[in-house]
């Protein structure tokens, strides 16, 4: 796929939905390129709750493809639960950040009670978000995994591995903003990584949004009901054009034939 002309992106994003509209517009252009090998007929969006759902809904509406959630849970460091040392996604195995575990002197076995609790919460959320309906089938499909941003990347890694194990034809990670090192690391997990902004000064996802409030389970359920859910399609292609600002589009990684998307990284990064 040839390198696209420079695009514009304005930071901070207004909110998760606004960022999702920009992401959807970018993905729509990529899917429309015959050289990409991507197929809207096979595509599905899996949003990581809770924060990835507003962006994922906008992406699904822009592409006119089904939307579902891929429920994940962070595995926290017991003395400091907000510090994520791993993650688990539905249908997948726990994934750990080996570097952090080594630094903390932890082993996966020592975290077994935490994993057990998070699996229980993961099951609860699956039941709440889907209301008993089955998860959408991903085997043979081009699966777009969305979140509101990428910090350490351990949750995205768990999600992508679960999708790959379920038989996805291609895996695409699409996020509005990411830590540059984490975005590059995802090349080992996804066929395509699409990031609108990878600021060098990245510290946390929330700092790149004007509005970044906490979402509730009820918000996820409402957005799923309003979006292009499993078995339904959205109204059709759309999405807003990127806002004002300066940016440069670049690809990071080895060159490859136009149709070979494996290990491609597309970044729209502030100049």
């Amino acid at each position: 796929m040839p390198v696209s002309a420079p695009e514009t992106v304005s930071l901070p994003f207004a909110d998760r939905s606004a960022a999702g509209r920009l992401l959807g517009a970018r993905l729509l252009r990529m899917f429309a390129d015959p050289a990409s090998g991507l197929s809207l007929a096979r595509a599905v969006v899996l949003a990581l709750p809770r924060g990835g759902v507003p962006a994922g809904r906008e992406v699904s509406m822009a592409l006119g493809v089904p939307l579902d959630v891929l429920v994940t849970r962070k595995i926290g460091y017991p003395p400091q639960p907000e510090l994520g040392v791993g993650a688990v996604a539905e249908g997948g195995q726990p994934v750990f950040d080996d570097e952090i575990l080594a630094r903390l002197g932890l082993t996966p076995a020592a975290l077994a009670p935490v994993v057990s609790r998070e699996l229980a919460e993961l099951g609860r959320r699956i039941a709440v978000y889907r209301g008993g309906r089955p998860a959408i089938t991903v085997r043979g499909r081009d699966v777009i995994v969305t979140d509101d941003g990428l910090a350490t990347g351990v949750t995205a890694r768990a999600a992508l591995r679960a999708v790959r194990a379920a038989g996805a034809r291609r895996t695409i990670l699409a996020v509005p903003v990411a830590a540059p090192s984490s975005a590059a690391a995802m090349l080992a997990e996804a066929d395509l990584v699409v990031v609108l902004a990878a600021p060098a000064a990245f510290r946390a996802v929330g700092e790149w949004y004007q509005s970044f409030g906490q979402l509730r389970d009820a918000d996820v359920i409402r957005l799923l009901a309003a979006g292009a859910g499993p078995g339904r399609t959205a109204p059709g292609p759309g999405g807003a054009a990127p806002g004002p600002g300066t940016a440069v589009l670049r690809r990071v990684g080895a060159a490859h034939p136009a149709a070979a998307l494996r290990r491609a990284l597309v970044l729209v990064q502030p100049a």
Side-chain angles (χ1 to χ4, degrees):
M1 182 166 53
V3 176
S4 303
E7 298 183 5
T8 59
V9 62
S10 181
L11 296 173
F13 300 109
D15 56 25
R16 294 178 176 96
S17 293
R21 285 190 288 274
L22 298 180
L23 199 55
R26 182 69 185 94
L27 286 162
L28 183 60
R29 290 193 291 277
M30 293 173 64
F31 271 83
D33 181 0
S36 73
L38 297 169
S39 170
L40 283 175
R42 301 187 185 202
V44 61
V45 174
L46 297 185
L48 304 188
R50 299 180 177 108
V53 177
R57 175 181 179 270
E58 297 296 336
V59 170
S60 76
M61 297 294 284
L63 300 181
V65 302
L67 168 69
D68 200 357
V69 288
L70 178 61
V71 183
T72 59
R73 290 295 296 168
K74 178 176 70 176
I75 299 170
Y77 176 44
Q80 189 180 344
E82 64 274 14
L83 174 61
V85 297
V88 61
E90 59 175 302
Q93 297 298 315
V95 173
F96 295 96
D97 187 318
D98 294 333
E99 183 178 334
I100 293 180
L101 290 187
R103 194 161 65 239
L104 295 173
L106 283 173
T107 65
L111 292 166
V114 179
V115 172
S116 179
R117 288 195 300 271
E118 295 304 338
L119 286 173
E121 175 61 14
L122 186 146
R124 184 197 72 80
R125 293 198 182 196
I126 290 172
V128 169
Y129 296 156
R130 293 213 179 91
R133 65 171 173 79
I136 196 166
T137 300
V138 302
R139 181 170 297 277
R141 307 189 78 161
D142 293 343
V143 179
I144 305 165
V145 175
T146 65
D147 205 352
D148 53 15
L150 191 70
T152 66
V154 67
T155 299
R157 183 175 290 113
L160 289 164
R161 290 183 183 180
V163 169
R164 178 75 69 188
R169 173 177 176 260
R170 284 197 177 101
T171 55
I172 303 162
L173 176 64
V175 296
V177 64
S181 60
S182 296
M186 289 301 103
L187 295 174
E189 307 292 344
D191 296 310
L192 190 67
V193 178
V194 181
V195 181
L196 296 183
F202 184 98
R203 292 185 299 275
V205 172
E207 68 180 328
W208 302 103
Y209 288 85
Q210 292 176 357
S211 175
F212 196 71
Q214 291 290 330
L215 298 175
R216 303 167 299 164
D217 287 345
D219 297 316
V220 173
I221 295 168
R222 174 181 55 80
L223 288 164
L224 289 173
R232 305 194 306 274
T233 55
T246 58
V248 59
L249 179 67
R250 67 177 184 176
R251 179 181 289 117
V252 178
H256 53 273
L261 292 178
R262 186 79 177 156
R263 305 297 179 256
L265 173 63
V266 175
L267 286 179
V268 179
Q269 185 172 10

